[in-house]
Amino acid sequence: AKESARFAVDIKENARELGNQIASLGGLDDTPLLNKKTAYSSQNDLVSVEYIGDLSDLQNEGDIPTLELEVQALADSQINLGKFVPSDEEISLPEDTYSFDIGINGMNYEFQFNIHSGETNRNIQDRLARLFNSSNIGLNVNVVEGENGTSALKIVSDETGLRDGEVSTFTVTDENTSKTSGVVSYLGLDYIMRNASNAKFTINGEAHEAHSNNFTIGKLYEV
């Protein structure tokens, strides 16, 4: 479900009132506290904002922008969910050395592993999860439990969103791999349960997208 939040960034604070508040908390010194700008979000549990600009770059108060940002959708990561197979049953693939390829961030990685006689589906799933996670290529993998003693591999990308020209964050194939193929189809590693998607929002009514949920606006705000 799409989450939405609406907040206004208003940095035209009343300097005198703010000064009185600061003074009541400990007094004013020579530090130009009132020359620092502030930002706020009306729904800070969903959207937070921090001013990162420099007041000295502005000529007068009229140059201080007031922005209204409305979020229609947050950026999501890609999730591949494999087939649920009986955990304790012996794997149906013959004993051999297998491999498959992962394409991510413009790079291609080959993963190789052995299947031995008598190993169960869960043995292989656990081994592949460790292999993925130790590779540090930007994927988080774990074994999820299903009904009636079944289990599947869940692969989640660390990155969210899609850059220009991308149709997926990562791919899993064994069509042209160097060792024996078949594990991708057997475990369903290539099934995309959820495609990655960009954050969608408007700034003062103008539509924008970002592949991350953390972005900056005009070198002034970090959202």
Side-chain angles (χ1 to χ4, degrees):
K2 295 182 178 179
E3 296 183 61
S4 63
R6 186 180 182 87
F7 71 87
V9 177
D10 188 352
I11 53 178
K12 297 179 180 179
E13 300 285 348
N14 185 302
R16 180 171 302 184
E17 179 180 351
L18 182 59
N20 290 337
Q21 293 175 357
I22 295 174
S24 68
L25 294 175
L28 297 171
D29 55 24
D30 293 334
T31 303
L33 292 175
L34 298 183
N35 287 335
K36 296 183 178 181
K37 293 192 283 185
T38 62
Y40 71 86
S41 166
S42 63
Q43 290 183 273
N44 205 54
D45 57 330
L46 294 179
V47 182
S48 61
V49 58
E50 179 181 356
Y51 180 74
I52 59 174
D54 188 346
L55 186 61
S56 63
D57 293 338
L58 302 175
Q59 300 300 315
N60 53 65
E61 185 180 346
D63 295 330
I64 300 175
T66 296
L67 305 178
E68 185 174 292
L69 185 149
E70 183 176 354
V71 179
Q72 285 82 39
L74 297 177
D76 280 327
S77 56
Q78 177 179 328
I79 299 177
N80 282 25
L81 182 63
K83 294 178 182 177
F84 284 90
V85 293
S87 300
D88 295 331
E89 286 189 8
E90 185 175 346
I91 191 167
S92 298
L93 296 174
E95 185 174 5
D96 207 341
T97 299
Y98 291 80
S99 64
F100 57 89
D101 303 314
I102 302 290
I104 186 171
N105 293 327
M107 301 291 292
N108 197 58
Y109 303 89
E110 183 178 86
F111 290 80
Q112 297 183 10
F113 64 100
N114 295 318
I115 292 179
H116 303 288
S117 177
E119 290 194 291
T120 66
N121 291 316
R122 184 59 183 261
N123 292 152
I124 302 305
Q125 290 171 334
D126 287 337
R127 187 184 307 157
L128 290 180
R130 291 192 299 269
L131 187 62
F132 271 110
N133 293 327
S134 63
S135 68
N136 294 318
I137 63 172
L139 298 175
N140 182 37
V141 182
N142 66 295
V143 181
V144 295
E145 305 287 348
E147 297 179 350
N148 301 318
T150 60
S151 54
L153 279 171
K154 182 179 181 180
I155 310 171
V156 184
S157 63
D158 291 341
E159 287 193 359
T160 58
L162 294 171
R163 292 175 173 80
D164 291 342
E166 287 185 335
V167 295
S168 62
T169 304
F170 65 91
T171 59
V172 186
T173 65
D174 59 5
E175 296 174 356
N176 299 301
T177 195
S178 67
K179 302 298 181 181
T180 302
S181 61
V183 72
V184 171
S185 175
Y186 180 82
L187 293 178
L189 303 180
D190 57 348
Y191 173 68
I192 300 176
M193 185 182 78
R194 185 184 73 190
N195 277 301
S197 58
N198 292 339
K200 300 180 187 297
F201 55 95
T202 60
I203 300 175
N204 292 342
E206 183 179 348
H208 294 270
E209 287 193 20
H211 58 78
S212 171
N213 289 319
N214 300 300
F215 53 89
T216 58
I217 301 176
K219 296 182 179 180
L220 294 176
Y221 303 107
E222 184 174 300
V223 181

